[in-house]
Amino acid sequence: MPPFITAALRRLSATVQGFTVGQRTVAIIGLAVLALGGFALTSWLTKPSYAPLFTGLQSSDASAVVQQLAKDNVPYELADGGSTVLVPQEKVYDERLKAASAGLPAAPATGYSLLDKMGVTSSQFQQDVTYKRAIEGELATTISHLDGVKSASVQLALPDKSVFTSQKTDPTASVFVQTQPGVTLSSDRVDAIVHLTSASMPGMKATDVSVVDSQGNVLSAVGTGTTGNSTKLASDYQQRTQSAVQAVLDRVLGPGNATVAVIPDVNQQSAQQKSETFSSANNTAPLSQSTKTEKYTGTGANGASGVLGPDNISVPSGTSTPGTSGNGTYDSTTDTKDNAVDKVTEDRTIPAGALKKQSVSVAINQAAAQGINLQNLNSLVSAAAGIDSQRGDILSVQVVPFSTAAADQAKAALAQQQADEAAKAQAALWSNIMWAGIALLAILLVAVLLWLRARRAAVREPIDLGGDIIYDELPQPAVIEAAPTVALPVPEPLPALPDPGTEVLDAERRRAQVDRLGAVDPQKTAEFLRGLMDDRAGV
């Protein structure tokens, strides 16, 4: 082990041994918290990100998919009650392809695929039922693809064909939809489901489709359409009319100075009405015209006339004067015209929830009604509410003093709420200050303890163990006698070195100049030396 690591471990061991029991407890707790935090952080960082492999699985399909994943040693998680299988994100596509190659999930035969299994020996009843199931499956699959719809089920009621047109009934359908968690189908989505279902069957109308969600809410009822039942229609009309009138009054009188109450009377039953209206077209040529004229002229004959009696004997009806006679004429004209007649045939369906009449009551604050023309205000409210006197609608606009008790209570409650919030904020502030002080005090206490520990380790005071200190006499060291001094012989003087010659001095001087030149200008020195070498080569 390296020396610096050994020294660090030695210092750490000495420091830990110098801790008190409380310091050791705090250190152990801190190390445990750090270890747990590091383990949790490591687990969270190393945990793979899971993504849905399949959703909305049946129990049998989910079991088969799980067995396939266990065979491939792929970790998985189940969600939504076991109908959703989650796998690591990088394994989604590989496992999805493997599951598809194994025929998973094995979806049951629905839609027109049911017709592929029909045999030649199938009866007419079996063919009709299978065809109805195929259409129901196709509709359910199509509706389940809408945004917000998790699954759907369609039931069709197809009447038997009859040769009697007066006994013919229209087909109906009921649709059950299960929405995604937290999703509410809008009226547009419900209309889309209704029209999709009604357009798939001949003779089915949009009012013949009923839509119900998984919470039991009727989104579309037979006979009323997507608007719902009569109670919901009355509530919607009341809210819509009341909001329109209230908006007008708030704009004119100011918010809080008027209140509106609308009570609609709606029809609770639906009905079918058929009417025919005939009217003549003015200034229109007739379709056909004929004229018949009869004229007769003749003279009267003398004799008896009358009715025939028994045995065809004429019985005179009167007496005639002999010698008299009479002349007669007959003229008759008959005109026949076939005029064009307009015929209007109207078939009406009166749904449940149709408005029969309504009653609108408006109360205006007396303090805000000063300078307001009540007649004009009455006309505004009548137009906003759609008052029809011929229908029997009732409108009442009254100016009355408003009670301020509710406003005073609301003001007092608001003030109390603000005071409570201020008190809570102040309490939270003092709590934060207290905890900050406690933390600062703990830090100071730890710093003081560490400082005292360092000071105790640096300054060691003598400890009085009691009694007298006895110093033992140490033995004196033996005296060593010095050795006798011996005089060394004087060395002979060295011979003087000969002085260097002039050539040596010149060579040293030139060498020093070359060194200086090389330090100052290396390029020039290199050129100089190259020139010397060239001169020597020529010699």
Side-chain angles (χ1 to χ4, degrees):
M1 187 178 294
F4 67 91
I5 297 179
T6 305
L9 292 177
R10 190 182 299 111
R11 288 195 299 270
L12 180 61
S13 177
T15 303
V16 172
Q17 289 178 0
F19 284 174
T20 61
V21 177
Q23 292 175 346
R24 292 181 181 179
T25 303
V26 172
I28 291 173
I29 293 174
L31 291 175
V33 170
L34 289 176
L36 292 177
F39 177 75
L41 181 61
T42 304
S43 300
W44 180 73
L45 292 176
T46 56
K47 183 178 180 180
S49 178
Y50 282 83
L53 179 63
F54 294 107
T55 58
L57 295 175
Q58 300 293 333
S59 58
S60 57
D61 293 337
S63 176
V65 170
V66 167
Q67 291 179 2
Q68 181 67 29
L69 294 175
K71 180 180 179 181
D72 296 339
N73 295 326
V74 176
Y76 63 89
E77 293 182 359
L78 298 178
D80 298 336
S83 61
T84 301
V85 180
L86 304 175
V87 297
Q89 192 170 6
E90 63 274 6
K91 297 287 187 179
V92 171
Y93 300 106
D94 295 340
E95 294 301 324
R96 191 171 294 173
L97 292 176
K98 291 181 180 179
S101 63
L104 298 175
T110 57
Y112 291 119
S113 59
L114 294 173
L115 302 177
D116 299 336
K117 300 180 180 180
M118 294 292 296
V120 294
T121 59
S122 300
S123 63
Q124 183 66 32
F125 176 76
Q126 291 177 341
Q127 293 178 3
D128 294 340
V129 171
T130 305
Y131 176 70
K132 187 172 76 71
R133 288 180 57 195
I135 297 178
E136 291 174 351
E138 291 293 331
L139 288 174
T141 303
T142 305
I143 294 172
S144 63
H145 289 165
L146 293 176
D147 293 339
V149 179
K150 185 177 180 181
S151 61
S153 176
V154 180
Q155 299 292 330
L156 297 177
L158 304 179
D160 295 334
K161 296 181 181 180
S162 175
V163 295
F164 301 100
T165 58
S166 60
Q167 299 178 358
K168 183 179 180 182
T169 57
D170 296 333
T172 59
S174 61
V175 181
F176 173 81
V177 292
Q178 183 179 5
T179 59
Q180 298 289 344
V183 177
T184 302
L185 293 180
S186 61
S187 59
D188 296 337
R189 301 286 177 82
V190 178
D191 288 338
I193 294 174
V194 168
H195 290 289
L196 178 66
T197 306
S198 61
S200 63
M201 293 301 299
M204 183 181 293
K205 302 177 182 178
T207 55
D208 296 334
V209 180
S210 174
V211 181
V212 182
D213 62 1
S214 57
Q215 285 78 27
N217 300 322
V218 179
L219 306 179
S220 176
V222 175
T224 60
T226 58
T227 54
N229 53 19
S230 58
T231 304
K232 187 176 184 299
L233 284 172
S235 178
D236 293 342
Y237 179 82
Q238 179 182 10
Q239 184 178 3
R240 183 172 62 255
T241 305
Q242 185 171 342
S243 300
V245 177
Q246 190 69 49
V248 173
L249 294 175
D250 290 344
R251 193 70 176 178
V252 175
L253 301 174
N257 292 320
T259 180
V260 182
V262 178
I263 302 176
D265 184 9
V266 298
N267 190 7
Q268 300 294 332
Q269 297 178 353
S270 60
Q272 298 286 338
Q273 183 179 6
K274 183 176 182 180
S275 60
E276 293 183 355
T277 304
F278 299 92
S279 61
S280 60
N282 297 326
N283 300 325
T284 304
L287 298 178
S288 62
Q289 183 177 2
S290 62
T291 302
K292 181 179 180 182
T293 303
E294 293 181 354
K295 291 182 179 182
Y296 299 98
T297 302
T299 59
N302 292 331
S305 65
V307 297
L308 295 177
D311 300 332
N312 292 329
I313 299 174
S314 175
V315 179
S317 60
T319 59
S320 61
T321 303
T324 62
S325 63
N327 297 324
T329 61
Y330 176 79
D331 190 358
S332 175
T333 302
T334 304
D335 291 336
T336 303
K337 294 182 180 181
D338 293 334
N339 295 322
V341 178
D342 294 337
K343 178 181 178 182
V344 178
T345 302
E346 182 180 6
D347 291 333
R348 298 180 58 190
T349 300
I350 303 175
L355 181 65
K356 296 192 294 185
K357 63 179 182 178
Q358 63 177 341
S359 175
V360 180
S361 300
V362 178
I364 301 175
N365 189 6
Q366 187 176 4
Q370 299 177 1
I372 298 297
N373 191 341
L374 294 181
Q375 185 176 1
N376 294 337
L377 188 62
N378 195 350
S379 300
L380 287 175
V381 174
S382 177
I387 299 298
D388 188 0
S389 58
Q390 296 180 358
R391 188 175 53 189
D393 296 350
I394 300 174
L395 173 63
S396 176
V397 180
Q398 301 293 331
V399 179
V400 293
F402 278 17
S403 175
T404 59
D408 295 338
Q409 292 179 0
K411 185 177 180 181
L414 181 60
Q416 183 65 30
Q417 183 180 1
Q418 292 178 354
D420 294 341
E421 291 178 356
K424 290 181 181 179
Q426 188 174 6
L429 178 61
W430 283 110
S431 177
N432 294 333
I433 293 175
M434 182 184 66
W435 285 110
I438 292 175
L440 182 60
L441 181 61
I443 293 173
L444 291 176
L445 182 60
V446 172
V448 169
L449 291 176
L450 293 177
W451 178 76
L452 291 177
R453 179 63 186 170
R455 187 172 178 275
R456 186 190 307 174
V459 180
R460 298 183 180 273
E461 298 180 356
I463 301 177
D464 188 6
L465 301 178
D468 298 333
I469 299 175
I470 301 174
Y471 297 94
D472 296 336
E473 295 183 356
L474 298 176
Q476 297 294 329
V479 179
I480 301 174
E481 295 181 357
T485 303
V486 179
L488 296 175
V490 179
E492 296 180 356
L494 296 174
L497 296 174
D499 296 333
T502 305
E503 296 180 358
V504 176
L505 295 176
D506 293 339
E508 291 295 334
R509 185 176 64 254
R510 287 194 297 270
R511 188 179 294 106
Q513 291 177 355
V514 171
D515 292 338
R516 287 195 300 271
L517 182 61
V520 174
D521 194 353
Q523 185 176 2
K524 187 175 181 180
T525 305
E527 293 178 356
F528 177 71
L529 294 176
R530 192 178 297 108
L532 291 177
M533 293 174 64
D534 293 340
D535 293 341
R536 291 183 180 181
V539 176

